[in-house]
Amino acid sequence: MNKDQLGLEVQSEFNLVKDRSVFAGENFAIRFCRSKSKSFSNTVLALSKLQKYDRKPFIVCLVTPDTNYLLLANSTYLKKISHSSQELRVDNIKGSFNGSDIMREFEGVQNEPSNFEYLFTTHENFTFQENLQRLVTATNNIHPHGHKFVPNIEQLRCIRESVDRAIQFMNSNEYHILNEDLSTRVNKVSNEIAIAAFINNVNLRGRIIEYLITEEGNLQAALIDALHDKKPLPPIFTSDELGDYTRLFEHYLTETDIKTKVLFLSSNPKGYNIDKLLKFLSQENSVYLIYIIAIDAQKSISTQLCSMYNDQLRNNTRIIRHWAGRNSRGVTQYDGVALERIVTHFNNTISIPGSNEYIETLISL
């Protein structure tokens, strides 16, 4: 069966709409390409066209004489833009990507159907605009902005002491005060959080819930009004800080990142920027925490505040170096199933040797 026949078969089977070279449905879009072998360099699609479908799995089906191969080709999994890309800028989306521009492996995970769910939930953590910036840099060989955080001797000492600080904080009265503070904030907007959990856009959903919990002014009121009355949401701007909620105690400076896990949806949330984390931990008294909010299909909400060094979390934190660029140590990503377990079966264990090894790994990147 040639690629045109296969396209018509798939279109009929899944009730897809043909949009020039793309077949699109509610849950995915697919482009069929032909090649003599698994390795192909043909032009696949214009980047501007991919933008239209980038919020759903975008699959490339490579039809060869012997076997058909499937690749996930959302913007996160493009190395660069190869064809007619001379004028590509963040404010001028030009050019197309070739088959050779699609990653066959992402951070040790093969780009194949058995891994598509994981790969797409990873892709959902990044906006098209973020990936566009990365592609512009890679395509035009631009020297990336920003610099790795290079700690001095005193800062290194403070970073390495962060493991002991975390353990002390988790066993302190301040931990219970912070946990109660966050729980009270969640309870005040629990109805709105339950509504926001059903927003399809994972980035927007997370930002709305974070704002509902941490904001107490006009923006929070506008969000509550919009969610209840199904009005357009107000503009939400993210400052791209390390955490969402800062609280200063007499002996601790805490930064807490709020992570939402909708239990009936598959997701692997983005973690922290490693350079920003190290810069924060280089401060005296600094403690970095994760506050997990889990929402089930009945709109029931459960929460858990834990240290970044918690064994359940640390052992399920993946380092993603691909996306961040050459002047960065990268970012992290959490295993979604592990976040669920932390909420439902929390074990407040922090391995000192394991945590020391982990922070040394981050420093050495």
Side-chain angles (χ1 to χ4, degrees):
M1 187 181 296
N2 63 38
K3 78 176 183 70
D4 295 327
Q5 293 171 320
L6 183 59
L8 292 174
E9 289 277 348
V10 172
Q11 180 183 19
S12 175
E13 177 69 23
F14 294 97
N15 194 28
L16 305 179
V17 175
K18 193 171 190 297
D19 181 9
R20 301 188 70 174
S21 62
V22 175
F23 293 90
E26 183 180 354
N27 298 313
F28 72 97
I30 188 167
R31 164 82 158 100
F32 294 90
C33 298
R34 180 175 58 233
S35 178
K36 293 181 179 179
S37 67
K38 187 177 181 179
S39 190
F40 78 116
S41 58
N42 313 33
T43 298
V44 176
L45 197 71
L47 182 60
S48 58
K49 189 77 168 184
L50 177 64
Q51 182 182 16
K52 180 178 178 180
Y53 299 108
D54 204 41
R55 284 176 55 183
K56 63 182 71 176
F58 184 81
I59 299 166
V60 170
C61 178
L62 177 59
V63 181
T64 74
D66 299 320
T67 308
N68 298 330
Y69 299 95
L70 297 177
L71 296 165
L72 199 64
N74 292 92
S75 58
T76 297
Y77 303 111
L78 299 183
K79 293 181 280 189
K80 62 183 186 340
I81 303 301
S82 289
H83 184 69
S84 303
S85 59
Q86 296 89 342
E87 298 178 8
L88 175 65
R89 300 189 306 273
V90 291
D91 59 350
N92 190 44
I93 303 175
K94 294 287 187 181
S96 303
F97 64 93
N98 295 341
S100 55
D101 296 324
I102 304 171
M103 297 177 191
R104 270 39 175 196
E105 180 184 293
F106 176 81
E107 301 292 342
V109 177
Q110 294 297 314
N111 189 347
E112 56 188 31
S114 62
N115 296 321
F116 279 2
E117 182 177 5
Y118 167 76
L119 291 171
F120 185 70
T121 56
T122 297
H123 164 70
E124 286 185 304
N125 289 315
F126 305 105
T127 65
F128 181 81
Q129 197 65 27
E130 287 173 319
N131 275 309
L132 177 60
Q133 179 65 65
R134 176 183 60 82
L135 289 169
V136 168
T137 298
T139 301
N140 297 326
N141 199 27
I142 298 171
H143 194 273
H145 295 293
H147 301 279
K148 278 187 180 180
F149 173 61
V150 182
N152 59 34
I153 293 174
E154 279 302 303
Q155 289 172 324
L156 279 172
R157 174 193 59 77
C158 202
I159 292 169
R160 288 172 174 137
E161 289 175 351
S162 65
V163 176
D164 290 334
R165 283 200 304 274
I167 294 171
Q168 291 165 10
F169 181 81
M170 293 300 291
N171 292 300
S172 70
N173 188 49
E174 285 86 346
Y175 168 80
H176 297 289
I177 293 171
L178 178 59
N179 192 40
E180 183 62 29
D181 178 8
L182 290 166
S183 295
T184 300
R185 290 170 174 271
V186 168
N187 290 336
K188 284 181 179 178
V189 290
S190 59
N191 291 334
E192 291 74 26
I193 290 173
I195 297 171
F198 287 84
I199 294 173
N200 289 329
N201 185 316
V202 64
N203 286 296
L204 180 60
R205 180 174 69 227
R207 287 201 299 272
I208 287 173
I209 291 174
E210 290 155 16
Y211 271 93
L212 285 170
I213 295 167
T214 60
E215 295 287 329
E216 296 181 321
N218 293 334
L219 177 58
Q220 185 194 56
L223 282 171
I224 291 172
D225 183 50
L227 289 168
H228 280 288
D229 296 338
K230 297 182 179 179
K231 296 177 181 178
L233 292 164
I236 297 176
F237 302 100
T238 176
S239 59
D240 198 27
E241 298 295 335
L242 176 65
D244 302 304
Y245 188 60
T246 304
R247 179 153 179 176
L248 179 64
F249 295 94
E250 182 179 357
H251 301 294
Y252 299 104
L253 169 62
T254 65
E255 191 74 45
T256 304
D257 194 26
I258 299 170
K259 289 299 167 192
T260 304
K261 184 68 182 78
V262 180
L263 299 181
F264 51 89
L265 296 176
S266 177
S267 66
N268 294 290
K270 190 198 305 187
Y272 40 81
N273 177 291
I274 296 170
D275 285 291
K276 289 181 180 179
L277 173 77
L278 293 177
K279 186 173 182 179
F280 172 71
L281 293 179
S282 72
Q283 302 177 71
E284 298 288 346
N285 302 326
S286 56
V287 177
Y288 186 68
L289 303 115
I290 313 298
Y291 189 62
I292 305 165
I293 302 173
I295 309 159
D296 66 19
Q298 287 71 47
K299 300 184 180 181
S300 176
I301 298 173
S302 304
T303 63
Q304 184 61 60
L305 178 64
C306 74
S307 165
M308 62 163 283
Y309 291 118
N310 173 272
D311 287 1
Q312 288 176 288
L313 184 67
R314 191 193 70 251
N315 291 332
N316 291 283
T317 301
R318 178 189 289 264
I319 296 170
I320 305 291
R321 299 208 65 196
H322 138 79
W323 186 84
R326 291 165 288 179
N327 271 14
S328 169
R329 290 177 171 86
V331 297
T332 59
Q333 179 186 37
Y334 303 124
D335 180 270
V337 175
L339 296 187
E340 293 180 26
R341 291 199 196 102
I342 291 171
V343 172
T344 58
H345 298 89
F346 184 54
N347 184 340
N348 188 20
T349 302
I350 297 176
S351 165
I352 295 176
S355 298
N356 285 336
E357 181 180 355
Y358 180 71
I359 198 64
E360 290 297 336
T361 297
L362 298 186
I363 292 169
S364 68
L365 292 174

